[in-house]
Amino acid sequence: MIRRALFLSFGERYVGIALRLIQLTVLARLLTPEEFGIFVTAASIVLLLDLIADFGMSSYLIQARTVSRRRRSTAFGITLTASLLCACFVVIVAGSLPDSLIDPRLREVLYVLAAGLPLTGIAVPIIALLQRDMRFGALWLVGTARAVVLTFVGIGLAFYGAGPMSLAWASLAERVVFLATALHFSREVGWVWPRLDNWRSVARFGGLQTVANSLKQAADAVTMVVTSKSLGFGSTGLLSRADRITGMFDQTVMQAIQPVILPALAALRRADQELRGFYLRTVALISVVSWPFFAFVFLFAPDLVHLLLGSQWDAVVPVARVLCLAGIFLPFVNMLLKFYTAVGQVDVFVRCSMIVQVTQLCLIIPASLISLEAVALALACETFLRYLITVGALKTRLGFSHHDVFVAVIPSLLVTLSTVVTATIAHELLKSVELPVVIELALGGFGAGIGWFASLFATGHPLADEIRALGHRAFGPGRKHAHGG
């Protein structure tokens, strides 16, 4: 069940990523860094309000042992009410600030993005129930429809000169489609009308979950605002593009895994199974993909920037390379909230995260007075701080040690070293010849892939077992027999 869910989730994610790469490549040639910076600053604020509007109801509906019709109705009422309040908050605050404090273009983008908040407030509970039931076929259709609309509406409006508003209107169109497709599948989970009776018992869980989900996004929003004020919208645009390139791992892998992890953890918890082995195996599987990915991006950053963004974005290269440092500790921390939620210790996660984010902001503010690379370095430190503080609190609850974690990732470390060697050899050989950027990246990826695949099976990594199992199911005797029958 989990493998099938992951397969469908990855299918949705890769279709979305292919479309968003098209959007990224085209829009980088139609919009300036400043225009990107305006939208990203507004989007970071609205994304924070998105998390607040959710009020932890998605996690509540997914992980609860039983979800009655009354609880579903209350969760729906909470998200709808919270999203409406957040939308009103954006409109009132943005409208009351003078032009000396807020760029008029930023205000217009905020207005459009705020209009989409209530739409998401209606759709999110339905999607959460689909995730709970692991109906990832329906989720694939929802995600794919959203990605198609976001990509082509954004490109079309930017082509006709809409500037940062092209991304704002594309985001609103995406939310309309999100709501429409969610409502289409609502009959599969049972439609309920929103209500707020018994909201206190539901909101008690949601309050903590909201704080837990919002802390990092709040820090990211402050980072974008501080950077735009100190270094200008152009620098914010460069930072967002660098983050988009290094964030491709999160988009292609982690965002495909995350919808599956919490339902899987909840199922294990309901069956009273221990989570220690699941955490260590998750870390091993993530690290063997993430570490080689960030090593490849670091080596081939100039080629990636030229291909995806164009030569006018060369200033993104050093920023992207600094952000790659965050990948070192990413496998240990990316799924932490899911595990804390599964063991009922969200309050501990919140306390640890508050320490991490306050420390990060103390680094960001002075860094923004130095350079964009200094801001990137402060951002990269976040995963290291989270590992020191938050993983330390989790290991006592799941019963593992730092030594267990180290042993779990030794095969991943060996695979990464092998990948770095073959990628470096390919990188150095390609420097001596003049080839199109696409060919250089393809050959570099091929060289890195050889080292990755060879060492993956040579070390007996757990991912190799998963690949063998997938191959056996796809091409094994049972499969052939099924076709023959």
Side-chain angles (χ1 to χ4, degrees):
M1 173 67 77
I2 293 177
R3 287 191 179 97
R4 181 177 181 276
L6 281 171
F7 176 78
L8 290 171
S9 187
F10 271 102
E12 174 208 335
R13 184 55 49 190
Y14 286 133
V15 170
I17 288 305
L19 291 170
R20 294 195 185 205
L21 281 176
I22 294 172
Q23 183 196 51
L24 175 67
T25 303
V26 175
L27 290 181
R29 290 157 174 83
L30 296 175
L31 301 177
T32 66
E34 184 181 22
E35 290 172 328
F36 268 113
I38 291 169
F39 173 77
V40 169
T41 302
S44 64
I45 296 170
V46 174
L47 182 55
L48 170 61
L49 295 176
D50 254 329
L51 295 174
I52 295 174
D54 178 86
F55 209 75
M57 292 301 100
S58 295
S59 297
Y60 172 79
L61 292 172
I62 292 171
Q63 63 85 43
R65 288 182 179 271
T66 59
V67 181
S68 65
R69 185 176 182 85
R70 184 179 182 184
R71 287 184 174 182
R72 295 203 309 268
S73 181
T74 303
F76 184 13
I78 290 174
T79 58
L80 180 58
T81 302
S83 62
L84 286 169
L85 291 174
C86 287
C88 292
F89 173 80
V90 172
V91 173
I92 292 171
V93 173
S96 60
L97 290 175
D99 291 350
S100 58
L101 293 179
I102 182 172
D103 190 297
R105 296 170 297 174
L106 180 62
R107 181 187 287 114
E108 291 178 6
V109 173
L110 284 170
Y111 285 158
V112 174
L113 294 181
L117 285 169
L119 307 181
T120 305
I122 299 172
V124 160
I126 301 170
I127 298 302
L129 290 171
L130 289 173
Q131 288 181 0
R132 177 185 175 87
D133 296 338
M134 290 194 172
R135 298 188 62 84
F136 286 94
L139 293 172
W140 184 88
L141 291 174
V142 174
T144 301
R146 294 176 66 186
V148 168
V149 170
L150 180 67
T151 298
F152 293 106
V153 172
I155 290 174
L157 292 175
F159 181 79
Y160 284 103
M165 291 301 295
S166 61
L167 295 171
W169 287 113
S171 178
L172 180 59
E174 177 202 20
R175 290 176 187 250
V176 171
V177 170
F178 183 37
L179 174 60
T181 51
L183 290 175
H184 173 74
F185 290 108
S186 63
R187 64 180 183 273
E188 298 187 15
V189 296
W191 171 261
V192 294
W193 292 101
R195 54 195 298 178
L196 292 175
D197 57 328
N198 196 36
W199 65 271
R200 288 183 178 84
S201 61
V202 176
R204 191 175 300 114
F205 172 90
L208 273 176
Q209 197 73 26
T210 299
V211 175
N213 283 323
S214 302
L215 281 171
K216 187 178 187 311
Q217 185 57 42
D220 291 344
V222 172
T223 297
M224 291 301 177
V225 173
V226 168
T227 302
S228 64
K229 285 293 183 182
S230 299
L231 301 172
F233 283 121
S235 293
T236 308
L238 293 173
L239 180 62
S240 71
R241 298 306 90 185
D243 181 66
R244 178 61 65 90
I245 290 175
T246 57
M248 284 191 292
F249 174 77
D250 180 70
Q251 298 162 17
T252 55
V253 179
M254 299 312 302
Q255 290 187 27
I257 294 175
Q258 295 223 24
V260 182
I261 287 292
L262 186 55
L265 286 171
L268 290 173
R269 195 66 177 174
R270 287 192 291 267
D272 295 322
Q273 297 185 30
E274 61 93 19
L275 304 180
R276 173 184 176 276
F278 192 84
Y279 173 78
L280 295 175
R281 185 174 180 86
T282 300
V283 168
L285 293 175
I286 294 174
S287 60
V288 79
V289 181
S290 66
W291 289 345
F293 168 82
F294 286 107
F296 181 85
V297 171
F298 186 92
L299 285 171
F300 288 89
D303 293 327
L304 284 169
V305 169
H306 287 176
L307 176 64
L308 297 176
L309 305 178
S311 58
Q312 69 272 24
W313 292 81
D314 282 345
V316 168
V317 173
V319 181
R321 281 178 163 164
V322 173
L323 290 178
C324 283
L325 298 176
I328 297 174
F329 292 94
L330 179 67
F332 311 115
V333 304
N334 202 280
M335 295 292 178
L336 285 178
L337 178 56
K338 308 298 183 185
F339 282 90
Y340 273 104
T341 301
V343 299
Q345 297 287 333
V346 178
D347 57 329
V348 178
F349 178 85
V350 169
R351 290 196 294 270
C352 293
S353 293
M354 288 180 68
I355 297 172
V356 172
Q357 301 304 340
V358 169
T359 305
Q360 180 187 342
L361 289 177
C362 290
L363 297 174
I364 290 290
I365 294 172
S368 66
L369 302 176
I370 301 173
S371 68
L372 190 57
E373 288 80 1
V375 173
L377 182 59
L379 290 172
C381 290
E382 191 265 348
T383 54
F384 173 64
L385 293 171
R386 189 171 293 279
Y387 175 78
L388 289 179
I389 298 170
T390 315
V391 174
L394 180 66
K395 66 185 181 66
T396 58
R397 287 161 176 80
L398 296 189
F400 65 87
S401 64
H402 291 299
H403 178 264
D404 295 327
V405 175
F406 178 73
V407 171
V409 299
I410 286 178
S412 298
L413 182 60
L414 295 175
V415 172
T416 303
L417 291 174
S418 174
T419 306
V420 169
V421 169
T422 54
T424 302
I425 292 172
H427 183 263
E428 293 302 314
L429 290 176
L430 291 171
K431 284 171 63 177
S432 61
V433 294
E434 288 290 335
L435 292 172
V437 173
V438 176
I439 302 299
E440 285 190 17
L441 283 172
L443 293 176
F446 180 74
I450 291 175
W452 187 81
F453 268 106
S455 56
L456 187 73
F457 288 92
T459 59
H461 195 281
L463 183 57
D465 298 333
E466 295 291 332
I467 294 174
R468 290 192 189 96
L470 181 63
H472 179 74
R473 287 195 301 274
F475 306 108
R479 181 74 172 176
K480 294 178 181 177
H481 178 74
H483 283 298

